Each structure stands twice: as structure tokens, then as C-alpha cells.
Amino acid sequence: MKEFDQIRSFYMELSDVHKCDMTEAIADDIMFFDEEFQSEIIYFLCEVVPDLGIRIKEINGFTL
């Protein structure tokens, strides 16, 4: 999907510091959602930017 390419390109152009900040912000934002919804978000992020989804899984303690 075109939208995925745009998100992926945006993420890949970020500095390592900004990638880390973005990852932590998303992990913090979804932390209080129920686990099923968090799992869906993480699955979707893994499809778009695998590194981002994997890091969020680790931060939030998921073993999907």
C-alpha cells in the first residue's frame, strides 16, 4: 500500500534518536489499551515497519 511506503520511508529517514523517541512514544500511548487492541496495533506496525513493531512489542512486554 502506498500509505505503508510513506510511513516506512518517513521512519527510515529518522535519526536513531528520533526513531527511539517515536517508538517509546507509541509504546507509551498504547500501553493502557486492552491487550487485544495493543496486539492488533503491534501486528499492523510489524507489517509496516518491522523494526518499529518489534521494539514496541519488547517495550510493552508482548510475546506475539
Side-chain angles (χ1 to χ4, degrees), residues 39-55:
S39 294
E40 291 178 26
I41 293 169
I42 292 169
Y43 172 81
F44 186 69
L45 289 171
C46 283
E47 292 292 311
V48 178
V49 184
D51 179 56
L52 177 61
I54 290 168
R55 284 291 303 132

Side-chain angles (χ1 to χ4, degrees), residues 22-40:
M22 181 178 176
T23 302
E24 289 176 2
I26 293 170
D28 287 346
D29 286 346
I30 70 169
M31 181 184 304
F32 298 104
F33 296 155
D34 66 55
E35 287 189 19
E36 183 177 338
F37 190 49
Q38 284 188 63
S39 294
E40 291 178 26

